[in-house]
Amino acid sequence: MPTLSVTIISKNEQNNLTRLLPKLCFADEVIVVDTGSADDSIAVCKANGAKTFCFEWCDDFSAARNYAIFKATCDYVMWLDCDDDFDIRMQNLITDWKQTPSESCA
């Protein structure tokens, strides 16, 4: 079965993370790279079991994204924005994909 890392870059996204992280139960790991939050974003991530890393913002979005991907350990990596959303249908589709053997995943 393929494994899936979900990576998120965040700064002061406490409210969005509170809503999003519980919906990522299909992920084998959730990685949040925080770029300098002043709110409780990091505490929310840790409370929801996300692996949380700090990255000093250098005005380069791709550097932060690549750092998050570098921290991922699964077969596949999904990158999300904090304001993305996953309804139950999407959660189930991803879970089914992971559980269905496929030659393309071998």
Side-chain angles (χ1 to χ4, degrees):
M1 177 166 52
T3 56
L4 179 65
S5 298
V6 172
T7 63
I8 302 167
I9 299 167
S10 170
K11 182 175 182 182
N12 295 325
E13 293 284 357
Q14 170 186 343
N15 292 335
N16 281 328
L17 291 166
T18 298
R19 177 194 45 76
L20 176 62
L21 293 176
K23 296 179 179 183
L24 303 180
C25 55
F26 56 82
D28 296 288
E29 72 178 351
V30 176
I31 296 168
V32 178
V33 170
D34 186 84
T35 61
S37 292
D39 64 3
D40 287 331
S41 292
I42 293 174
V44 168
C45 293
K46 290 181 179 180
N48 281 280
K51 295 179 182 178
T52 307
F53 301 93
C54 294
F55 182 85
E56 186 174 335
W57 183 248
C58 57
D59 206 26
D60 184 351
F61 180 81
S62 64
R65 183 192 59 225
N66 290 341
Y67 180 77
I69 292 169
F70 175 76
K71 293 295 186 180
T73 63
C74 293
D75 300 321
Y76 292 88
V77 177
M78 174 187 284
W79 173 76
L80 297 176
D81 285 327
C82 291
D83 60 352
D84 285 335
D85 198 9
F86 281 86
D87 63 16
I88 192 66
R89 181 178 169 271
M90 184 59 69
Q91 294 171 44
N92 290 338
L93 284 171
I94 295 171
T95 299
D96 290 347
W97 166 78
K98 287 178 58 184
Q99 295 174 350
T100 303
S102 170
E103 290 182 24
S104 64
C105 293

